[in-house]
Amino acid sequence: MPPFDQLRAILCAWYQWHRARRIAAETQPIRTRLMEVEVELAAARKLHRPVRDLERQRRRLKNLQLKKELGL
Protein backbone atom coordinates (compact mmCIF):
# COMPACT_ATOMS: atom_id res chain seq x y z
CA MET A 1 0.00 0.00 0.00
CA PRO A 2 1.54 3.36 -1.00
CA PRO A 3 2.29 5.73 1.87
CA PHE A 4 -0.42 8.23 0.90
CA ASP A 5 -3.07 5.50 0.81
CA GLN A 6 -2.00 4.43 4.30
CA LEU A 7 -2.17 8.01 5.53
CA ARG A 8 -5.60 8.48 3.93
CA ALA A 9 -6.84 5.25 5.56
CA ILE A 10 -5.56 6.38 8.97
CA LEU A 11 -7.15 9.82 8.61
CA CYS A 12 -10.47 8.32 7.47
CA ALA A 13 -10.51 5.94 10.44
CA TRP A 14 -9.69 8.78 12.84
CA TYR A 15 -12.42 10.98 11.34
CA GLN A 16 -15.03 8.22 11.62
CA TRP A 17 -14.03 7.53 15.24
CA HIS A 18 -14.13 11.25 16.12
CA ARG A 19 -17.52 11.71 14.39
CA ALA A 20 -19.00 8.67 16.17
CA ARG A 21 -17.71 9.98 19.50
CA ARG A 22 -19.22 13.43 18.88
CA ILE A 23 -22.60 11.95 17.90
CA ALA A 24 -22.57 9.75 21.02
CA ALA A 25 -21.83 12.78 23.19
CA GLU A 26 -24.66 14.75 21.59
CA THR A 27 -27.19 11.97 22.07
CA GLN A 28 -26.21 11.28 25.67
CA PRO A 29 -28.84 12.73 28.00
CA ILE A 30 -27.96 16.25 29.11
CA ARG A 31 -28.71 15.52 32.76
CA THR A 32 -26.30 12.55 32.79
CA ARG A 33 -23.49 14.55 31.20
CA LEU A 34 -24.16 17.47 33.55
CA MET A 35 -23.79 15.19 36.58
CA GLU A 36 -20.53 13.80 35.18
CA VAL A 37 -19.16 17.31 34.63
CA GLU A 38 -20.14 18.38 38.15
CA VAL A 39 -18.32 15.37 39.62
CA GLU A 40 -15.23 16.16 37.51
CA LEU A 41 -15.45 19.81 38.60
CA ALA A 42 -15.64 18.90 42.29
CA ALA A 43 -12.65 16.57 41.94
CA ALA A 44 -10.64 19.23 40.10
CA ARG A 45 -11.39 21.80 42.79
CA LYS A 46 -10.43 19.38 45.54
CA LEU A 47 -7.13 18.60 43.79
CA HIS A 48 -6.50 22.31 43.04
CA ARG A 49 -6.56 21.75 39.27
CA PRO A 50 -7.68 24.25 36.60
CA VAL A 51 -11.48 24.36 36.40
CA ARG A 52 -12.20 27.01 33.75
CA ASP A 53 -13.02 24.54 30.95
CA LEU A 54 -15.18 22.41 33.24
CA GLU A 55 -17.09 25.46 34.46
CA ARG A 56 -17.68 26.56 30.88
CA GLN A 57 -18.90 23.07 29.96
CA ARG A 58 -21.19 23.00 33.02
CA ARG A 59 -22.70 26.39 32.12
CA ARG A 60 -23.28 25.26 28.54
CA LEU A 61 -24.99 22.06 29.67
CA LYS A 62 -27.15 23.91 32.19
CA ASN A 63 -28.24 26.31 29.45
CA LEU A 64 -29.03 23.42 27.12
CA GLN A 65 -31.04 21.71 29.84
CA LEU A 66 -32.98 24.92 30.54
CA LYS A 67 -33.71 25.44 26.83
CA LYS A 68 -34.91 21.85 26.54
CA GLU A 69 -37.19 22.24 29.59
CA LEU A 70 -38.64 25.49 28.23
CA GLY A 71 -39.05 24.00 24.77
CA LEU A 72 -36.88 26.54 23.00
Side-chain angles (χ1 to χ4, degrees):
M1 188 182 267
F4 289 114
D5 288 343
Q6 276 185 320
L7 181 60
R8 186 173 354 144
I10 291 169
L11 288 174
C12 285
W14 177 83
Y15 176 76
Q16 290 172 349
W17 170 81
H18 184 70
R19 185 171 179 263
R21 189 166 173 233
R22 190 183 73 231
I23 290 171
E26 289 173 358
T27 57
Q28 184 181 22
I30 296 171
R31 185 176 298 142
T32 304
R33 183 66 191 131
L34 182 59
M35 284 190 289
E36 289 174 356
V37 168
E38 286 177 346
V39 168
E40 291 175 25
L41 185 60
R45 283 185 177 142
K46 193 166 191 95
L47 297 172
H48 304 290
R49 300 274 164 88
V51 295
R52 184 183 306 159
D53 291 337
L54 290 170
E55 286 175 341
R56 186 178 302 132
Q57 197 173 7
R58 181 176 169 265
R59 256 193 323 273
R60 186 181 61 81
L61 287 167
K62 281 186 111 55
N63 288 339
L64 280 174
Q65 184 180 24
L66 185 61
K67 284 180 183 176
K68 188 175 180 182
E69 288 173 1
L70 294 175
L72 298 175

